[in-house]
Every structure is written in structure tokens, then in C-alpha cells.
Amino acid sequence: MKTQIKPITPESLSEAKNIIFDGGVVAIPTETVYGLGGNAFDDRAVQRIFEVKGRPNDNPLIAHVHSDYDLLKIIDYDPPYAKKLREAFLPGPLTLVYPSTGKVSPYVSCGLQTLAVRIPAHAGAQAFLREVDIPIVAPSANISKHVSPTSAQHVYEDFEGKIPLILDGGACEGGIESTVCDVTGEVPVILRPGLITREMIADMVGVCEEYTPDFKSGEKVKSPGVLYKHYAPRCKTLLFGAEDIEGALKTYIKEKNMGKRTFILCEESLVSVFKTAGADTLNLGSTDSEMASRLYELLREAEKLCDVLIAVEPRKTDGIMVGVMNRLKKAFGSVDVKH
Ligand code: AMP
Ligand code: MG
């Protein structure tokens, strides 16, 4: 199969629609990362997405709809606080998990009675969703466990020859996946941190909890996806705490002396420190949103440049940085995850 990258035009949207209604998958841009889209009502299309990504079959998918789509077609209950969150943050990088009507394919939620729904803000995603006018499941358009894609080229690198069409909407501004927030209970509960922070949600509706999974306890996890090793670049990765600049530098020198192509990924304020010491660096940026938007791009670049990638954790750890740290730790395999 030839994989084509096309700008978003009436012609490419119509081609994408034909592929979707034929049970195929199309990669689409969003403001977070690129998604691998398929018809949420079509069992075959949903299964195809799991297959082409190599995604574990207990990791449910998010249904994406345009901003005028009638959510009550697919969700069973819409609590007033969820409505408030939608008005405040959607379209945008927030996914809400509702009780499902069971209308979409049972493969979407992997047997759960809930459905995760998102309304992306990206103009290209909206144009595509309006064109098809059905819910589209769209997990990140990367091979499972690999770094998420923030450009059409990233998607091409993972899926060349495996999907027919990539709609090119430019580089993703957000850079990390949406915040996933459960709204099936009395209060919102964050299942995956992201650009819409716990503080922003709590400010809007008074309260917001955060779910920390513990798969060793045998408890059935609320959001299976959070348990998997994710976002990993294909090189050796070593993560150091924000205070351990010396440790990072010592390790850099050791790896370099062994002939390994080695880089240090760090926030902007440390770049000159490492450069002065003679190290090659990758600059994560200085603001929270800059670090979120550059992370995956740099991890993809790193796997081309490096045998060994050393990262130093950013010093700031609240707000958006909760999401950035979550992805960084998973990419470096330094959290409790299934492999
Ligand atoms: P991705 O599409 O790769 O960004 O991953 C989707 C994320 O949403 C994963 O972490 C899933 O576990 C989570 N998710 C999707 N559907 C549900 C659901 N019904 N309940 C809880 N979490 C969900
Ligand atoms: Mg993903």
C-alpha cells in the first residue's frame, strides 16, 4: 500500500471520508498529537486500528467528534459539572470519560461500560470530523510504545506502507496527549495528566481528584493505558533528577568514552552549563508549554542522533509539567509500568 501525505483540502477530505466509510484508517492532525482515525461504529475499522498500531487489546480508544455533534447519541449521562468543563475547555485538549450508550463498537472501550470523548480544537481535525459527521476513534498515530507523533512526517516514519492517507495539518502545537478526566462519578477524576491541568479543572468546578494506578494491588484499573511503557525513543535512555547535574555529566563522559553518541536533554537554563562542560545537548525549552510542545519532537530527533540519551528532569513540577513529567518518566522507563 502506498502511503500519501496530503494537505487538508476539499479533495483530500472527501478521499479521507471514502476511506473511513470503507472501513479504513486515516491519520489526522489534532492540537495535541496526530491520531490514527477510524469509524467508531465499525468493528472492523476499530480492530484494524489495534492491529496496525500493535496496541494491547485492553487499552481503550477515545472517540473524537466535531463541536456540533450531539453527544447524547453516544453518552448516557451528562452531569452538570461535565457540561461546565465542556463549556470552559472544549474544543480543546481535554478528554471526558462518560457512561456509554453502547452505540459505538464494543471494541472501542475494550469491554468497559464507559466511553472517552474528545472535541479537538485543531481546524483540520474539525474539518475532517464535520466531513464524516460520525465519532472517530483516533489513538496517537504511532506504533504502540513508540514516541507519539507531532508531525505528518513522524506518522509516515511509523506507518509507511501500512495506511493509505495522512492528512497534513502541520506541527502539533500542544505536543502531549489530552488530559483524560473521568466524569462518571460525583467529582471529576484525572486519569491521565495533560495540558488542561488539575488546577484549571478545580478552578472551574470546585474540585478535581487525580487517580494514581496501582496495578500490583490487583484492583481493576480505571484507565488501562496508563499502565503501559510508552513514548520510548529507540536508544538507551537514562533519567537524572533536577538536582543531579553532576551525575548526568559523569554518565555523559563515561558513555562518550565508550564511543557512544551521547546527548543531554535538559531545560534551556542548563544548556549552557552542559555546553561549557563540553557536552552535546538538546534544548527542551524554558516555558511549560514550550517543553510540552517540544518533548516528542526531541525524543524522535534523539533516536536518530544518539546511542544514549541522558535527560535531566525540569525543576518545575506543577501545572502542565505534571503531564510533561508523566511522559518523560514513561519514555525513560522509570515508572511502574507493564512492558
Ligand atoms: P491514546 O489514544 O493513545 O492517547 O490513549 C487513550 C487514553 O485514554 C489511554 O490512556 C486510555 O486508557 C484512556 N481511555 C480511553 N477510553 C477510556 C475509558 N473508557 N475509560 C478510561 N480511560 C480511557
Ligand atoms: Mg498513545
Side-chain angles (χ1 to χ4, degrees), residues 39-87:
N39 179 352
F41 293 126
D42 182 342
D43 290 349
R44 207 165 42 105
V46 179
Q47 285 175 302
R48 171 94 186 111
I49 287 177
F50 279 95
E51 191 186 292
V52 77
K53 269 181 68 79
R55 185 174 176 102
N57 62 8
D58 64 350
N59 189 4
L61 306 179
I62 298 169
H64 294 63
V65 293
H66 64 74
S67 39
D68 296 319
Y69 191 80
D70 178 9
L71 284 188
L72 290 171
K73 284 184 184 165
I74 51 174
I75 64 165
D76 209 19
Y77 175 61
D78 187 16
Y81 76 82
K83 228 176 255 167
K84 258 192 178 171
L85 293 178
R86 281 209 308 279
E87 278 164 20

Side-chain angles (χ1 to χ4, degrees), residues 32-35 53 55 58-64 95-98 100 108-110 112-117 137-142 148 177-182 184 191-192 221-228 230-231 327 330:
T32 58
V33 301
Y34 273 71
K53 269 181 68 79
R55 185 174 176 102
D58 64 350
N59 189 4
L61 306 179
I62 298 169
H64 294 63
T95 295
L96 298 174
V97 176
Y98 294 93
S100 173
V108 172
S109 293
C110 308
L112 298 170
Q113 304 301 304
T114 51
L115 179 65
V117 180
V137 282
S140 51
N142 53 283
S148 300
E177 296 83 352
S178 61
T179 303
V180 178
C181 182
D182 183 306
T184 61
L191 304 179
R192 175 175 74 183
V221 294
K222 281 196 177 170
S223 189
V226 299
L227 293 184
Y228 288 97
H230 260 117
Y231 325 119
R327 307 310 193 278
K330 285 192 173 183

Side-chain angles (χ1 to χ4, degrees), residues 237-257:
T237 50
L238 298 162
L239 185 61
F240 286 81
E243 305 310 321
D244 199 5
I245 293 166
E246 215 174 290
L249 205 49
K250 261 193 198 154
T251 304
Y252 176 88
I253 293 164
K254 193 175 124 209
E255 295 289 349
K256 268 302 241 202
N257 286 344

Side-chain angles (χ1 to χ4, degrees), residues 46-334:
V46 179
Q47 285 175 302
R48 171 94 186 111
I49 287 177
F50 279 95
E51 191 186 292
V52 77
K53 269 181 68 79
R55 185 174 176 102
N57 62 8
D58 64 350
N59 189 4
L61 306 179
I62 298 169
H64 294 63
V65 293
H66 64 74
S67 39
D68 296 319
Y69 191 80
D70 178 9
L71 284 188
L72 290 171
K73 284 184 184 165
I74 51 174
I75 64 165
D76 209 19
Y77 175 61
D78 187 16
Y81 76 82
K83 228 176 255 167
K84 258 192 178 171
L85 293 178
R86 281 209 308 279
E87 278 164 20
F89 301 119
L90 299 184
L94 174 67
T95 295
L96 298 174
V97 176
Y98 294 93
S100 173
T101 55
K103 294 262 164 56
V104 300
S105 161
Y107 295 104
V108 172
S109 293
C110 308
L112 298 170
Q113 304 301 304
T114 51
L115 179 65
V117 180
R118 178 159 119 73
I119 304 173
H122 191 285
Q126 281 288 323
F128 165 76
L129 290 167
R130 278 177 200 283
E131 179 83 17
V132 294
D133 201 25
I134 51 167
I136 293 289
V137 282
S140 51
N142 53 283
I143 299 288
S144 193
K145 299 193 175 93
H146 191 212
V147 182
S148 300
T150 55
S151 71
Q153 190 54 38
H154 292 164
V155 181
Y156 190 79
E157 284 166 12
D158 279 18
F159 292 112
E160 188 201 349
K162 294 184 183 143
I163 63 172
L165 179 61
I166 301 168
L167 292 176
D168 189 350
C172 304
E173 267 179 41
I176 59 171
E177 296 83 352
S178 61
T179 303
V180 178
C181 182
D182 183 306
V183 295
T184 61
E186 301 269 292
V187 298
V189 182
I190 289 184
L191 304 179
R192 175 175 74 183
L195 297 169
I196 305 295
T197 64
R198 181 181 186 171
E199 294 87 339
M200 288 160 77
I201 293 175
D203 273 355
M204 204 48 64
V205 295
V207 58
C208 178
E209 293 177 0
E210 201 153 1
Y211 174 70
T212 325
D214 175 10
F215 72 88
K216 283 188 188 137
S217 71
E219 169 201 7
K220 192 164 168 31
V221 294
K222 281 196 177 170
S223 189
V226 299
L227 293 184
Y228 288 97
K229 181 169 157 61
H230 260 117
Y231 325 119
R234 293 172 181 140
C235 58
K236 181 174 166 185
T237 50
L238 298 162
L239 185 61
F240 286 81
E243 305 310 321
D244 199 5
I245 293 166
E246 215 174 290
L249 205 49
K250 261 193 198 154
T251 304
Y252 176 88
I253 293 164
K254 193 175 124 209
E255 295 289 349
K256 268 302 241 202
N257 286 344
M258 289 194 299
K260 306 282 185 212
R261 293 175 307 153
T262 310
F263 279 73
I264 301 180
L265 174 72
C266 60
E267 61 187 319
E268 191 157 311
S269 59
L270 289 181
V271 166
S272 59
V273 176
F274 287 122
K275 276 218 165 112
T276 310
D280 287 323
T281 55
L282 291 168
N283 180 358
L284 196 51
S286 50
T287 64
D288 295 13
S289 42
E290 211 169 47
M291 292 196 243
S293 106
R294 283 191 197 172
L295 178 66
Y296 289 145
E297 167 81 44
L298 287 174
L299 292 180
R300 289 231 175 200
E301 198 180 321
E303 64 187 7
K304 293 183 188 129
L305 293 172
C306 311
D307 300 310
V308 182
L309 177 65
I310 294 169
V312 179
E313 290 178 6
R315 274 162 303 181
K316 190 162 175 288
T317 52
D318 62 348
I320 294 175
M321 294 309 290
V322 177
V324 175
M325 283 304 300
N326 166 280
R327 307 310 193 278
L328 191 64
K329 286 193 166 167
K330 285 192 173 183
F332 281 68
S334 65

